[in-house]
């Protein structure tokens, strides 16, 4: 049995530090998800609507966010704004802002796609029964769109959680950064620690994302 | 002045025009529908039959003329449009049940949310109506579990449960397999015997002949014939109607007949 370097985990408070790092990553992504899901639904409804000016503005926003690599957005949001506007926000807050902007943009496009995939006949038979526009949206269109959205939005949420591994680049000490620190600190005594630590990080990410996948599968079955 | 007692006029279509861009679909069309009357609308595809029904239910705006239901104008942007739509039940070719709701919820959604009726009362009525079309045991099923004919019967019940004063049927059997056409037509025939006011667009000529009080022949956006079925089917007044009926009879043989679409 080769030395996987797992023993380092048991030294001092290493495991607790790793979990603390995971909590930082989850805090950033879950706050961003909690804001971007409702905001994305709102913007998605607007993007599927008829107002051309609103649609054009949202389109520009979406394309801007989608084309930019997340890393560039993080640098722009943290270093860029500090120099340009003299803001002094913490790296974690900058990360939350960037992830929220990103999640909202992607979510709005998913919602728009789900709404316009509902056949026109559904609107018409609802109106023919006397339901007004708001009732049609609320009782007919959105419930059907939500069912189509589940797998797509779950994918987005797990992507947002995973992408927090980038925020160490702006100095946030999250789980990956903690792992690197532990590896560095034990370079002499446990040269194999890298494997064990990264394996642990892998398992931690898996444990964070797996329940969300389970929830998605449950909802898909229940709402089929 | 002679006083003639006619059934009350329920729907009055006066000189309406419907255009899609430069394409005129309905041109100065007028028609009165009286209470309890069953009118069948026939005509070649593209003649504006479906558009006529969609205009009556304000799913399409009209460019000229007016449509009055109980004397009130029907306009898509009118303030009381949802009230007027409740008086007009419409059944579509593609059933258009709501796939995320059970059969029962499909039926009671509008009665509950639009008419604010009590859940128990609306469901009781829905079940009674379902029983009448032989689908009581399907109340808890979802639309995807039903056959085409069953879906269409549910769609008819859904329209009926709103207590409409008038029913519009837009080629309701056109998407069905032949063996399911009958079960749907039987339901409509039963409605006719109850004295319902109905406007039916169909390609089922035998059915039209059996159910209609009047047959309207529509071509080029105009009403060319407006006669009882006996006259329309045996002795049509216009050449166009004669051609149309002929095309029907020989549709299977005349491969070189000009395709109409």
């Amino acid at each position: 049995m080769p030395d996987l370097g797992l023993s380092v985990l048991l030294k001092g408070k290493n495991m607790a530090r790793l979990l603390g790092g995971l909590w930082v990553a989850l805090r950033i992504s879950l706050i961003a998800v909690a804001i971007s899901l409702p905001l994305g639904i709102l913007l998605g409804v607007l993007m599927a609507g008829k107002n051309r000016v609103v649609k054009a503005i949202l389109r520009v926003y979406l394309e801007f966010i989608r084309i930019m690599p997340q890393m560039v957005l993080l640098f722009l949001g943290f270093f860029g704004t500090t120099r340009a506007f003299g803001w002094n926000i913490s790296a974690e807050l900058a990360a939350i802002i960037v992830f929220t902007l990103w999640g909202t943009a992607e979510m709005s496009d998913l919602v728009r796609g789900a709404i316009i995939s509902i056949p026109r006949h559904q609107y018409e038979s609802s109106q023919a029964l006397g339901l007004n526009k708001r009732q049609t949206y609320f009782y007919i269109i959105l419930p059907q769109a939500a069912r189509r959205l589940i797998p797509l939005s779950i994918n987005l949420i797990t992507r947002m959680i995973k992408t927090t591994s980038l925020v160490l680049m702006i100095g946030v000490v999250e789980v990956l950064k903690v792992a690197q620190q532990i590896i560095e600190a034990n370079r002499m005594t446990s040269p194999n620690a890298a494997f064990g630590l990264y394996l642990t990080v892998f398992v931690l990410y898996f444990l964070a994302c797996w329940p969300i996948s389970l929830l998605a599968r449950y909802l898909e079955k229940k709402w089929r | 002045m002679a006083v003639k007692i006619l059934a009350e006029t329920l729907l009055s279509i006066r000189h309406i025009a419907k255009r899609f861009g430069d394409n005129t679909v309905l041109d100065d069309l007028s028609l009165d529908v009286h209470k309890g009357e069953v009118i069948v609308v026939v005509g070649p595809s593209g003649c504006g039959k479906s558009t006529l029904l969609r205009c009556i239910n304000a799913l399409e705006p009209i460019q000229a003329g007016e449509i009055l239901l109980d004397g009130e104008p029907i306009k898509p942007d009118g303030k009381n449009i949802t009230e007027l739509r409740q008086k007009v039940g419409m059944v579509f070719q593609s059933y258009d049940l709501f796939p995320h709701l059970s059969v029962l919820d499909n039926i009671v959604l509008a009665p509950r949310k639009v008419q604010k009726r009590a859940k128990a009362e609306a469901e009781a009525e829905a079940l009674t109506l379902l029983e009448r079309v032989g689908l009581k045991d399907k109340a808890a099923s979802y639309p995807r579990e039903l056959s085409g004919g069953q879906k269409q019967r549910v769609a008819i019940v859904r329209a009926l449960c709103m207590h409409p004063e008038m029913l519009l049927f837009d080629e309701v059997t056109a998407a069905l397999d032949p063996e399911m056409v009958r079960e749907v037509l039987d339901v409509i025939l039963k409605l006719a015997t109850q004295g319902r006011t109905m406007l039916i667009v169909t390609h089922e000529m035998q059915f039209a002949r059996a159910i209609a009080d009047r047959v309207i022949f529509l071509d080029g956006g105009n009403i060319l014939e407006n006669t009882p079925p006996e006259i329309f089917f045996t002795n049509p007044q216009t050449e166009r109607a004669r051609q149309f009926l002929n095309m029907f009879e020989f549709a299977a043989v005349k491969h070189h007949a000009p395709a109409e679409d």
Side-chain angles (χ1 to χ4, degrees), chain A residues 168-189:
Chain A
L168 66 90
M169 300 300 291
I170 57 171
V172 179
V173 183
E174 45 66 75
V175 62
L176 197 59
K177 185 72 191 170
V178 174
Q180 287 178 349
Q181 289 173 346
I182 296 173
I183 293 165
E184 286 299 314
N186 294 280
R187 171 145 290 169
M188 295 302 167
T189 49

Side-chain angles (χ1 to χ4, degrees), chain B residues 3 18 82 98 103 125 137 151 160 179 198 209 221 247:
Chain B
V3 178
K18 171 69 199 170
T82 58
F98 307 127
V103 164
E125 185 184 356
D137 55 326
K151 281 186 214 176
L160 285 176
E179 68 266 31
M198 300 194 277
R209 197 167 183 169
M247 200 179 66

